[in-house]
Amino acid sequence: MNERICVGLIGAGAMGGALMRGWLANGVIDPARSAIFDPRVGDSMRALATDAGVAVNPAKKDLRVDALVIAVKPQIAADVLPAYAPLAKDALSISVMAGKSIASVARALGAAALVARAMPNLPAAIGEGVTGLFAPEGIDARGRAVIERLMAAVGETVWVESERGIDLVTAVSGSGPAYFFAMVEALADAGVHAGLDAAAAAKLARATMTGAGALVARDVRSTAEMRKAVTSPGGTTEAALGVLDGDDGALHRLVREAVAAAARRAGELTD
């Protein structure tokens, strides 16, 4: 589908705002028939919406949308969403809230609501995110195409086959940026302990990790091939990887355990 989508965005904070910017920049939505609903919409987002022709907090009875994207804080969803039941009745609702099941969102919006879930991550704020998507059986190919187009505006997308898969997406990519940041911190700390000054170690760690990430994005080789290209037999990288992973796959085991813990917790927190 190439036609522009009419969207109602509930919540224009960090993630909702990133989505709106991506939609407008990529020509995904029809601004004249789209709207933002947020009682505390920021000045910059209000100015962006006004310039583009997107309505801010219009009367709900005067609007009909193709998709209702829910980007409010999960803890206020039960109080906020019932007011949008009339809009949700004729629209596809897409929740980007963590910890809220399709059943929970549908209860808040009314039994007739058709709800899908999307789990973007922090880099979506700069258009470099990846979003896990799940749509139940009631959503047809056209609906899935709408979900795909809306979420692709802030990065890559990956479909999962069950709602449980959203917990796994949360554990891998939702929480994943924090794992990356922790590795940058650890590498900088190791540099200081080895004898570098703190500023130099921090700059080296940050630039090395972001540069390697950019290379992964652009290089067609697998990461295993790229790792081997840096690892000369008997060299410095091999010595370091022997400590990180070794013959027993210590790093891989630790990361598997970390992701499993995050996925378990995501399931526990979901209502």
Side-chain angles (χ1 to χ4, degrees):
M1 61 176 295
N2 293 316
E3 66 267 26
R4 293 192 292 179
I5 303 164
C6 305
V7 172
L9 173 65
I10 309 174
M15 187 55 67
L19 287 166
M20 180 56 69
R21 286 189 291 273
W23 298 335
L24 292 173
N26 291 283
V28 174
I29 67 171
D30 182 346
R33 296 192 297 140
S34 295
I36 291 171
F37 296 99
D38 189 328
R40 298 180 184 84
V41 62
D43 291 342
S44 62
M45 180 53 57
R46 184 181 293 276
L48 177 69
T50 300
D51 289 347
V54 176
V56 177
N57 296 319
K60 300 179 189 69
K61 63 181 177 60
D62 297 332
L63 189 69
R64 180 170 180 171
V65 296
D66 302 316
L68 196 61
V69 177
I70 304 162
V72 299
K73 287 179 170 48
Q75 57 267 34
I76 67 170
D79 295 327
V80 168
L81 294 186
Y84 296 89
L87 273 177
K89 183 167 59 71
D90 298 314
L92 168 61
S93 295
I94 306 165
S95 168
V96 299
M97 297 183 293
K100 288 293 178 184
S101 67
I102 285 173
S104 174
V105 175
R107 280 196 302 272
L109 288 174
L114 197 57
V115 182
R117 289 186 68 187
M119 180 52 58
N121 63 358
L122 183 61
I126 59 168
E128 296 289 343
V130 61
T131 301
L133 307 173
F134 172 69
E137 288 184 3
I139 296 176
D140 60 15
R142 179 181 174 80
R144 289 171 67 94
V146 167
I147 298 166
E148 178 91 37
R149 285 193 69 206
L150 288 173
M151 301 314 300
V154 290
E156 298 188 51
T157 59
V158 176
W159 286 94
V160 295
E161 296 180 356
S162 68
E163 191 168 7
R164 165 61 179 162
I166 292 293
D167 292 340
L168 305 182
V169 168
T170 300
V172 173
S173 60
S175 299
Y179 313 155
F180 176 86
F181 302 149
M183 185 61 185
V184 175
E185 289 180 82
L187 188 56
D189 181 64
V192 170
H193 277 74
L196 290 168
D197 71 74
K203 185 173 182 178
L204 286 166
R206 183 183 289 246
T208 296
M209 297 295 278
T210 57
L215 189 60
V216 166
R218 297 174 191 173
D219 201 304
V220 297
R221 293 174 295 174
S222 69
T223 51
E225 290 174 308
M226 295 167 71
R227 172 178 51 77
K228 290 174 184 175
V230 183
T231 310
S232 301
T236 59
T237 307
E238 186 177 74
L241 290 176
V243 175
L244 280 173
D245 219 10
D247 294 332
D248 62 350
L251 178 62
H252 283 72
R253 185 178 65 254
L254 184 62
V255 173
R256 283 196 299 270
E257 291 173 0
V259 168
R264 256 192 326 271
R265 188 58 178 152
E268 292 166 358
L269 292 172
T270 299
D271 64 15

